[in-house]
Short mmCIF file of all heavy atoms in Angstrom, two decimals:
data_model
loop_
_atom_site.label_atom_id
_atom_site.label_comp_id
_atom_site.label_asym_id
_atom_site.label_seq_id
_atom_site.Cartn_x
_atom_site.Cartn_y
_atom_site.Cartn_z
N ILE A 127 -2.63 -22.46 -6.40
CA ILE A 127 -2.31 -21.50 -5.34
C ILE A 127 -1.16 -20.63 -5.74
O ILE A 127 -1.16 -19.40 -5.54
CB ILE A 127 -2.01 -22.25 -4.03
CG1 ILE A 127 -3.22 -23.03 -3.53
CG2 ILE A 127 -1.53 -21.26 -2.95
CD1 ILE A 127 -4.41 -22.16 -3.19
N GLY A 128 -0.11 -21.22 -6.36
CA GLY A 128 1.01 -20.43 -6.84
C GLY A 128 0.58 -19.42 -7.88
O GLY A 128 1.03 -18.27 -7.88
N GLY A 129 -0.28 -19.86 -8.80
CA GLY A 129 -0.83 -18.94 -9.81
C GLY A 129 -1.61 -17.82 -9.20
O GLY A 129 -1.51 -16.66 -9.64
N CYS A 130 -2.45 -18.13 -8.21
CA CYS A 130 -3.22 -17.08 -7.51
C CYS A 130 -2.28 -16.09 -6.83
O CYS A 130 -2.53 -14.86 -6.84
CB CYS A 130 -4.14 -17.70 -6.46
SG CYS A 130 -5.55 -18.62 -7.13
N THR A 131 -1.21 -16.59 -6.24
CA THR A 131 -0.25 -15.72 -5.59
C THR A 131 0.40 -14.78 -6.58
O THR A 131 0.49 -13.54 -6.35
CB THR A 131 0.87 -16.55 -4.89
OG1 THR A 131 0.27 -17.45 -3.97
CG2 THR A 131 1.84 -15.63 -4.13
N ALA A 132 0.84 -15.29 -7.71
CA ALA A 132 1.50 -14.48 -8.73
C ALA A 132 0.52 -13.51 -9.37
O ALA A 132 0.85 -12.31 -9.57
CB ALA A 132 2.13 -15.37 -9.77
N PHE A 133 -0.70 -13.98 -9.68
CA PHE A 133 -1.65 -13.07 -10.31
C PHE A 133 -2.14 -12.04 -9.33
O PHE A 133 -2.43 -10.90 -9.70
CB PHE A 133 -2.82 -13.88 -10.88
CG PHE A 133 -3.75 -13.06 -11.74
CD1 PHE A 133 -3.38 -12.62 -12.97
CD2 PHE A 133 -5.01 -12.70 -11.28
CE1 PHE A 133 -4.21 -11.84 -13.76
CE2 PHE A 133 -5.89 -11.95 -12.06
CZ PHE A 133 -5.46 -11.50 -13.31
N GLY A 134 -2.24 -12.40 -8.04
CA GLY A 134 -2.61 -11.45 -7.02
C GLY A 134 -1.62 -10.30 -6.93
O GLY A 134 -1.99 -9.19 -6.55
N ALA A 135 -0.35 -10.58 -7.21
CA ALA A 135 0.66 -9.53 -7.19
C ALA A 135 0.51 -8.58 -8.38
O ALA A 135 1.24 -7.58 -8.43
CB ALA A 135 2.05 -10.18 -7.22
N ILE A 136 -0.44 -8.86 -9.26
CA ILE A 136 -0.68 -8.00 -10.41
C ILE A 136 -2.05 -7.37 -10.34
O ILE A 136 -2.24 -6.18 -10.64
CB ILE A 136 -0.55 -8.81 -11.72
CG1 ILE A 136 0.86 -9.40 -11.82
CG2 ILE A 136 -0.82 -7.92 -12.92
CD1 ILE A 136 1.01 -10.41 -12.94
N SER A 137 -3.08 -8.17 -9.93
CA SER A 137 -4.44 -7.71 -10.05
C SER A 137 -4.89 -6.87 -8.85
O SER A 137 -5.63 -5.87 -9.01
CB SER A 137 -5.39 -8.88 -10.22
OG SER A 137 -5.50 -9.61 -9.03
N GLY A 138 -4.53 -7.27 -7.63
CA GLY A 138 -4.97 -6.53 -6.43
C GLY A 138 -6.41 -6.78 -6.05
O GLY A 138 -6.95 -6.10 -5.17
N SER A 139 -7.07 -7.77 -6.67
CA SER A 139 -8.49 -8.05 -6.40
C SER A 139 -8.70 -9.52 -6.15
O SER A 139 -8.27 -10.36 -6.93
CB SER A 139 -9.33 -7.56 -7.59
OG SER A 139 -10.64 -8.09 -7.51
N SER A 140 -9.39 -9.83 -5.05
CA SER A 140 -9.67 -11.26 -4.73
C SER A 140 -10.65 -11.87 -5.72
O SER A 140 -10.43 -12.97 -6.18
CB SER A 140 -10.24 -11.31 -3.32
OG SER A 140 -9.29 -11.01 -2.36
N LEU A 141 -11.74 -11.20 -6.02
CA LEU A 141 -12.74 -11.77 -6.89
C LEU A 141 -12.21 -11.97 -8.28
O LEU A 141 -12.49 -12.97 -8.92
CB LEU A 141 -14.01 -10.86 -6.91
CG LEU A 141 -14.73 -10.70 -5.59
CD1 LEU A 141 -15.95 -9.77 -5.73
CD2 LEU A 141 -15.20 -12.05 -5.03
N ALA A 142 -11.39 -11.01 -8.77
CA ALA A 142 -10.79 -11.15 -10.09
C ALA A 142 -9.82 -12.31 -10.13
O ALA A 142 -9.79 -13.10 -11.09
CB ALA A 142 -10.12 -9.85 -10.50
N THR A 143 -9.04 -12.46 -9.05
CA THR A 143 -8.08 -13.58 -9.00
C THR A 143 -8.80 -14.92 -9.00
O THR A 143 -8.43 -15.86 -9.68
CB THR A 143 -7.17 -13.43 -7.75
OG1 THR A 143 -6.49 -12.21 -7.83
CG2 THR A 143 -6.18 -14.58 -7.66
N ALA A 144 -9.85 -15.03 -8.18
CA ALA A 144 -10.62 -16.28 -8.12
C ALA A 144 -11.24 -16.59 -9.45
O ALA A 144 -11.18 -17.75 -9.93
CB ALA A 144 -11.70 -16.17 -7.05
N ALA A 145 -11.80 -15.59 -10.11
CA ALA A 145 -12.47 -15.82 -11.38
C ALA A 145 -11.50 -16.23 -12.47
O ALA A 145 -11.73 -17.23 -13.20
CB ALA A 145 -13.24 -14.57 -11.82
N MET A 146 -10.38 -15.51 -12.59
CA MET A 146 -9.43 -15.80 -13.66
C MET A 146 -8.74 -17.13 -13.46
O MET A 146 -8.62 -17.96 -14.38
CB MET A 146 -8.43 -14.68 -13.76
CG MET A 146 -9.01 -13.33 -14.20
SD MET A 146 -9.94 -13.42 -15.72
CE MET A 146 -8.75 -14.07 -16.86
N MET A 147 -8.24 -17.39 -12.26
CA MET A 147 -7.55 -18.66 -11.99
C MET A 147 -8.51 -19.83 -12.05
O MET A 147 -8.13 -20.94 -12.43
CB MET A 147 -6.83 -18.62 -10.66
CG MET A 147 -5.63 -17.71 -10.63
SD MET A 147 -4.39 -18.04 -11.93
CE MET A 147 -3.99 -19.74 -11.64
N GLY A 148 -9.77 -19.59 -11.65
CA GLY A 148 -10.75 -20.68 -11.76
C GLY A 148 -11.00 -21.09 -13.18
O GLY A 148 -11.07 -22.29 -13.50
N GLN A 149 -11.09 -20.12 -14.06
CA GLN A 149 -11.30 -20.42 -15.50
C GLN A 149 -10.15 -21.22 -16.09
O GLN A 149 -10.34 -22.11 -16.92
CB GLN A 149 -11.50 -19.11 -16.29
CG GLN A 149 -12.77 -18.38 -15.97
CD GLN A 149 -12.87 -17.03 -16.69
OE1 GLN A 149 -12.05 -16.76 -17.58
NE2 GLN A 149 -13.80 -16.23 -16.29
N VAL A 150 -8.94 -20.90 -15.63
CA VAL A 150 -7.75 -21.56 -16.18
C VAL A 150 -7.51 -22.96 -15.58
O VAL A 150 -7.25 -23.93 -16.30
CB VAL A 150 -6.50 -20.68 -15.98
CG1 VAL A 150 -5.23 -21.41 -16.34
CG2 VAL A 150 -6.63 -19.39 -16.78
N SER A 151 -7.60 -23.05 -14.24
CA SER A 151 -7.15 -24.25 -13.56
C SER A 151 -8.25 -25.29 -13.35
O SER A 151 -7.93 -26.48 -13.23
CB SER A 151 -6.50 -23.87 -12.22
OG SER A 151 -7.39 -23.13 -11.44
#
Side-chain angles (χ1 to χ4, degrees):
I127 296 297
C130 288
T131 304
F133 189 71
I136 300 169
S137 72
S139 166
S140 291
L141 297 179
T143 300
M146 294 307 303
M147 289 307 303
Q149 292 175 11
V150 171
S151 56

